[in-house]
Amino acid sequence: MRLHVHEIRLTDHDVWRSAREAIPVQPGLLVELSAAGRSGFGEASAFMTDRYNSGLDAMHADLRRVAGTLRDLPADDPGHSWSVLAPLLSGSPFTLAALDVAAHDLAARLAGVPLWRHLGARTPGALHSSYSIGLDEPAVMVRKLLERPGWPAYKVKLAGPGDLHILEALREHTDAPFYVDGNCGWKLPDTLAALDAMAALGVELLEQPFPRERWDDARALKEASPIPVFADESITGPDDLDACATAFHGVNLKLMKAGGITPALRMLRRARAAGLGTMLGCMPESSAGVSATVHLGPHVDHLDADSIALLAVDTGTGVLLDDRGRITLPDTPGTGFVPDFTGPAFTVRPTTAHRCVWDNEELAVHRDGKPTASVRVRRRPLPGDEPGDHVRQLAEPSLADGTGGPAGDVPVGELVGLLRTALTRAVAAGADTVWTRVAGPWTAAALAAGFTASAAAAGGHGTDTLLIWKADTHDQRA
């Protein structure tokens, strides 16, 4: 399989807020695996980056480390691919998940069947998603509900169990059940005191009220609660299932946190065997990720797959989610996701949309859908060296006006994203050495992207600096 990487940036119609954070813009990666003229897609959000090693720099570094391994893996056996990649990416579940989802998508597309069928599920019945209402002023939360009437359930973010006035205000406008999400921000005494009132207001599910480490509080709440309590942050992998079985009534799995479809299916089977209720949710992600998640809908009790309904900017089209929360799976091979590489969600992409080539490919960084700078990835030896198949140059760095001079109003961060992605594309094409000659802000951007200065080869090109990236000194972890 061949790897392609695209940087993306998502925005919602409203700033997303929970008890833990506010998210105005969500960067991430769209990972593409290709073979035999087909491509499969997976997504990784740069979300909770310290916990999940999911910063953009870290995920690019992980992808460079495994690019060579990917080239040798079969396109028709995603389970085997996951077993090879999982030990290499043990601390990076989002990167692993993106690759695993892309591998499953690719295998299903090559087989010519929808992903749910390729996973061995029966023909899906009616699928529905809950609708999430982020934490905000009560009037704003009511407005969000009124904008989405008729959904089968509403997941409501609350800062604390004492915020019953918000549920009361929402209840005036719907008879649908509420799922309440505490996002680790609640305390046990206050939660116990609010249980009966929440049940009376139609709360049918309570999700992760306490921080992950408060297992004793979770067990005490499970014993006392008339409302099923589901784990979210407390379930990050199969090692958490036994503890969750004693502390919760159910688990909310996310493909990114689980490390992909392969481990998620195993976890769902174990959860059911342990008597736990099951839900599949989503991270801040686009149609690429959600379209994969809903294909696992036949395996769970609840779906919380509404993140695409919240988006103002998406990466493409896939699963259909109507204005009442009904889900329609595309009747096409794989997940059914179709990327829109010309859309504003793609911040770094080929200048000719999706013309993925392995030599002389030009990439551009985009802001609001318009290119601001570009660079070309081409096969060129280091100055003074003999030609080799494993060396690439990032050549012709230029701004949208065609100049290669000072970056003007182009932020260095955008140049970093461009060079970082171009570097990963070069490594995915087989390079173990990548070099460039740059000046001014491009130099700072290249250094931030992982290049180092070459004292031996510097000079001789005016003010340009020769910078080099080598696989034996970068992106390598035991």
Side-chain angles (χ1 to χ4, degrees):
M1 294 182 289
R2 303 298 292 267
L3 169 69
H4 308 269
V5 183
H6 315 271
E7 289 203 5
I8 59 175
R9 183 183 296 120
L10 309 177
T11 55
D12 285 349
H13 291 288
D14 295 287
V15 175
W16 179 251
R17 292 183 174 88
S18 69
R20 183 179 53 228
E21 74 249 311
I23 306 173
V25 177
Q26 182 58 62
L29 297 180
L30 184 73
V31 170
E32 178 180 358
L33 295 178
S34 62
R38 299 287 188 271
S39 289
F41 300 92
E43 185 174 355
S45 299
F47 178 67
M48 297 182 70
T49 56
D50 290 340
R51 181 167 182 177
Y52 296 110
N53 194 36
S54 55
L56 292 176
D57 288 330
M59 291 194 293
H60 273 284
D62 282 330
L63 291 170
R64 292 173 202 142
R65 286 192 302 109
V66 300
T69 301
L70 285 166
R71 287 194 291 272
D72 296 329
L73 291 175
D76 60 351
D77 191 352
H80 170 70
S81 295
W82 187 89
S83 69
V84 173
L85 294 170
L88 303 176
L89 297 170
S90 59
S92 304
F94 286 16
T95 308
L96 177 61
L99 291 170
D100 184 66
V101 169
H104 276 279
D105 185 21
L106 175 59
R109 291 179 193 245
L110 290 172
V113 298
L115 178 59
W116 61 265
R117 187 183 300 278
H118 202 255
L119 296 175
R122 297 187 300 271
T123 301
L127 297 176
H128 299 82
S129 173
S130 54
Y131 183 77
S132 299
I133 299 176
L135 184 64
D136 216 313
E137 294 297 322
V140 175
M141 297 176 73
V142 169
R143 186 257 297 169
K144 292 178 180 179
L145 185 148
L146 293 175
E147 290 175 347
R148 300 282 180 166
W151 284 59
Y154 293 91
K155 178 183 277 194
V156 183
K157 304 282 186 176
L158 291 184
D163 290 339
L164 298 178
H165 62 288
I166 294 176
L167 296 179
E168 292 167 351
L170 295 172
R171 180 52 69 207
E172 293 180 8
H173 303 282
T174 182
D175 294 325
F178 293 144
Y179 304 159
V180 171
D181 191 350
N183 281 116
C184 305
W186 295 10
K187 296 181 179 179
L188 178 60
D190 299 334
T191 304
L192 293 172
L195 288 174
D196 289 341
M198 284 194 290
L201 285 166
V203 176
E204 294 188 1
L205 188 150
L206 179 58
E207 185 175 311
Q208 195 71 43
F210 311 133
R212 171 182 166 84
E213 63 272 12
R214 284 167 50 188
W215 292 98
D216 288 344
D217 287 354
R219 283 186 282 269
L221 179 62
K222 179 183 179 181
E223 291 296 319
S225 179
I227 303 168
V229 186
F230 274 52
D232 182 355
E233 286 81 359
S234 290
I235 180 76
T236 58
D239 292 343
D240 296 322
L241 274 171
D242 289 342
C244 284
T246 68
F248 296 92
H249 301 95
V251 291
N252 180 6
L253 300 185
K254 317 287 182 65
L255 294 187
M256 283 194 208
K257 291 197 301 182
I261 291 172
T262 300
L265 285 173
R266 296 172 184 168
M267 291 168 67
L268 288 171
R269 295 187 193 104
R270 282 187 56 196
R272 285 193 176 280
L276 291 168
T278 54
M279 175 188 286
L280 273 174
C282 45
M283 307 298 277
E285 57 191 287
S286 74
S287 286
V290 175
S291 293
T293 294
V294 297
H295 278 267
L296 276 67
H299 299 271
V300 298
D301 302 316
H302 308 281
L303 274 173
D304 180 31
D306 67 325
S307 68
I308 54 175
L310 308 175
L311 289 176
V313 173
D314 201 351
T315 56
T317 58
V319 60
L320 300 178
L321 182 63
D322 73 9
D323 58 4
R324 292 295 188 271
R326 292 183 291 261
I327 295 170
T328 302
L329 296 174
D331 188 23
T332 54
T335 66
F337 171 69
V338 179
D340 177 11
F341 288 106
T342 64
F346 286 86
T347 55
V348 181
R349 61 175 184 256
T351 54
T352 301
H354 202 215
R355 183 177 177 270
C356 294
V357 297
W358 295 107
D359 191 27
N360 210 32
E361 177 183 51
E362 186 178 32
L363 300 176
V365 61
H366 291 71
R367 187 193 316 146
D368 300 325
K370 298 179 180 179
T372 60
S374 64
V375 69
R376 192 173 295 277
V377 183
R378 65 185 186 184
R379 186 181 280 107
R380 288 291 188 279
L382 279 163
D385 283 2
E386 294 294 322
D389 289 338
H390 300 291
V391 181
R392 298 292 187 280
Q393 179 193 14
L394 303 192
E396 303 172 17
S398 63
L399 306 184
D401 61 7
T403 68
D409 64 348
V410 180
V412 171
E414 292 185 7
L415 302 182
V416 173
L418 172 61
L419 295 176
R420 177 174 57 207
T421 305
L423 173 57
T424 303
R425 303 278 280 227
V427 175
D432 58 22
T433 300
V434 184
W435 65 280
T436 187
R437 278 195 182 275
V438 288
W442 287 98
T443 303
L447 292 171
F451 287 83
T452 56
S454 172
H461 255 260
T463 59
D464 288 359
T465 302
L466 178 68
L467 301 175
I468 299 176
W469 179 95
K470 284 184 175 290
D472 57 353
T473 57
H474 294 82
D475 302 332
Q476 300 295 306
R477 290 192 309 207

